[in-house]
């Protein structure tokens, strides 16, 4: 019994330490993903190819009607592929500035890494020695979650978010050459409106775009459940939702509030389980962990709000 307890406490302590050491997602952009396909060296051919891309891709993306550009420069083994996408509600000058900054930051945040993705509010950039342009696979998904939760029932909120993103995704895939759409949906008295935005790279077919969005929208309840705001951003498609306005211009779509959920069943009475000593022990540990988690949450507050 004593050994079991010791094992349990040791395990709990390990989990707790791991938790405390986990760096929270940075609060502010840029967010980056550094790849694992090797490094380049200062002044080598690969670096020179990245520099050439950085000299032209920001202009090409901002000059394009869809605020999107891809390119590759060089030959094997030093070929570099790049993709830049600006948000569909942005303008050309903001786009060019964002992609220019992205090239600079990528080379610092993922120093000498051949594969770097950097994400900002108005744009994102990936360059790589891997030909990711050849597929529509939505690699390098980053999850940005607002740590604040809704007060409404979580499953009702999640379903409303998915309904909004589904409808917005239908529109972006089928009706927009930018593969971009925004939407608003009524919700409840605490959060009267949910705002959503979806986007695919504009080179995707309507079917590929919808399927890409379908995959991340389906992932929403696992990754962002009940969060008052969040984003899933992959190289090929992304979404964002908030309970406050965040996009420019009027929404592409306006959805009515979903029907009110049925009243919850009455709470069961006379169910007061008495805890055995071992359960009490576990409960103490549970509350201890909760308090420490809260402390961790509190300490990380200035950093943890990713939205
Ligand atoms: C790279 O080139 C710069 C400018 O020509 C030079 O100052 C620097 O020493 C070079 N670095 C390496 C590692 O060769
Ligand atoms: C930018 O566009 C020009 C003109 O279309 C093209 O020649 C050039 O290769 C492009 N640059 C990149 C990095 O795609
Ligand atoms: C472009 O967008 C930026 C950021 O939203 C804004 O500050 C700027 O005024 C806009 N420029 C034009 C020409 O609309
Ligand atoms: C959203 O669309 C998917 C299909 O892409 C569907 O399975 C899901 O039920 C829809 N969710 C809502 C809440 O409409
Ligand atoms: C596309 O636009 C048309 C005309 O505005 C509209 O009737 C249709 O519902 C839209 N399709 C989607 C999937 O939103």
């Amino acid at each position: 019994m004593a050994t079991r307890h010791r094992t349990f406490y040791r395990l709990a302590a390990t989990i707790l330490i791991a938790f405390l050491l986990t760096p929270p997602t940075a609060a502010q952009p840029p967010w980056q993903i550094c790849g694992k396909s090797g490094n380049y060296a200062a002044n080598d051919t690969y670096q020179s190819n990245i520099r050439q891309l950085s000299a032209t891709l920001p202009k090409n993306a901002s000059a394009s009607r869809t605020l999107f550009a891809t390119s590759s420069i060089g030959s094997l083994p030093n070929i570099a592929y790049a993709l830049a996408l600006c948000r569909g509600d942005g303008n050309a000058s903001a786009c060019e500035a964002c992609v220019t900054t992205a090239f600079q930051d990528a080379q610092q945040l993922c120093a000498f890494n051949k594969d770097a993705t950097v994400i900002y509010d108005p744009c994102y950039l990936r360059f790589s020695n891997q030909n990711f342009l050849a597929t529509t696979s939505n690699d390098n998904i980053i999850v940005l979650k607002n740590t604040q939760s809704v007060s409404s029932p979580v499953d009702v909120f999640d379903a409303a978010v998915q309904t909004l993103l589904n409808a917005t995704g239908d529109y972006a895939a089928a009706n927009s050459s930018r593969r971009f759409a925004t939407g608003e949906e009524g919700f409840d008295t605490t959060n009267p409106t949910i705002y959503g935005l979806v986007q695919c790279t504009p080179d995707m077919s309507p079917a590929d775009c919808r399927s890409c969005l379908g995959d991340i929208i389906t992932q929403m309840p696992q990754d962002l459940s009940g969060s008052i705001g969040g984003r899933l951003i992959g190289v090929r498609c992304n979404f964002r939702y908030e309970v406050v306005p965040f996009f420019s211009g009027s929404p592409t779509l306006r959805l009515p509030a979903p029907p009110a959920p049925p009243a919850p069943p009455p709470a069961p009475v006379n169910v007061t389980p008495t805890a055995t000593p071992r359960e009490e022990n576990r409960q103490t540990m549970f509350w201890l962990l909760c308090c420490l988690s809260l402390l961790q949450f509190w300490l990380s507050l200035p950093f943890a709000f990713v939205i």
Side-chain angles (χ1 to χ4, degrees):
M1 199 59 177
T3 320
R4 261 176 80 180
H5 270 154
R6 220 177 296 141
T7 313
F8 176 70
Y9 281 94
R10 215 174 274 161
L11 183 68
T14 310
I15 291 169
L16 184 66
I17 287 164
F19 186 57
L20 288 170
L21 291 178
T22 306
T25 308
Q28 296 300 324
W31 299 281
Q32 77 271 11
I33 299 177
C34 306
K36 293 189 173 68
S37 57
N39 290 333
Y40 58 88
N43 300 345
D44 73 0
T45 312
Y46 191 83
Q47 186 180 53
S48 135
N49 289 338
I50 295 296
R51 294 212 165 129
Q52 281 187 58
L53 286 168
S54 73
T56 50
L57 204 66
K59 276 229 151 42
N60 285 19
S62 60
S64 123
R65 201 180 42 80
T66 56
L67 300 179
F68 168 69
T70 60
S71 189
S72 63
I73 286 187
S75 51
L76 285 169
N78 292 306
I79 190 164
Y81 304 87
L83 177 156
L85 178 66
C86 296
R87 222 167 78 176
D89 58 343
N91 60 45
S93 54
C95 180
E96 183 178 347
C98 185
V99 179
T100 300
T101 303
F103 269 106
Q104 291 161 2
D105 287 352
Q107 291 172 85
Q108 284 175 8
L109 295 167
C110 302
F112 299 109
N113 196 312
K114 286 186 170 177
D115 185 344
T117 304
V118 276
I119 295 162
Y120 305 77
D121 288 333
C123 79
Y124 63 77
L125 166 76
R126 181 183 181 187
F127 62 71
S128 178
N129 62 335
Q130 307 291 308
N131 188 6
F132 66 97
L133 301 176
T135 79
T136 53
S137 157
N138 199 28
D139 295 330
N140 289 3
I141 296 178
I142 195 160
V143 179
L144 300 173
K145 179 179 164 124
N146 191 313
T147 46
Q148 202 179 329
S149 293
V150 284
S151 49
S152 341
V154 163
D155 51 345
V156 177
F157 180 77
D158 289 354
V161 169
Q162 286 186 297
T163 300
L164 173 65
L165 295 176
N166 268 353
T168 316
D170 287 341
Y171 190 97
N175 269 353
S176 160
S177 59
R178 282 191 179 188
R179 302 275 179 269
F180 173 81
T182 55
E184 280 181 18
E185 179 186 31
F187 190 56
D188 66 9
T189 48
T190 321
N191 296 305
T193 311
I194 307 174
Y195 302 83
L197 175 158
V198 302
Q199 187 169 21
C200 298
T201 59
D203 59 341
M204 286 174 90
S205 69
D208 284 348
C209 173
R210 188 62 187 85
S211 146
C212 183
L213 289 170
D215 288 347
I216 54 172
I217 295 168
T218 306
Q219 233 172 292
M220 183 267 160
Q222 283 103 61
D223 291 337
L224 299 166
S225 187
S227 175
I228 59 161
R231 313 179 215 186
L232 283 181
I233 304 171
V235 167
R236 286 298 179 175
C237 69
N238 67 85
F239 73 68
R240 177 177 181 180
Y241 72 88
E242 303 288 341
V243 295
V244 291
F246 66 94
F247 50 76
S248 313
S250 43
T252 323
L253 298 179
R254 276 204 178 85
L255 271 61
V269 283
N270 288 337
V271 188
T272 37
T274 43
T276 65
R278 223 172 105 209
E279 271 170 345
E280 266 167 9
N281 234 330
R282 273 202 192 147
Q283 277 174 12
T284 311
M285 200 59 205
F286 172 75
W287 287 115
L288 182 65
L289 278 169
C290 277
C291 292
L292 285 164
S293 304
L294 271 175
L295 180 67
Q296 146 81 359
F297 172 72
W298 182 77
L299 286 172
S300 71
L301 259 190
F303 312 102
F305 283 98
V306 295
I307 300 303

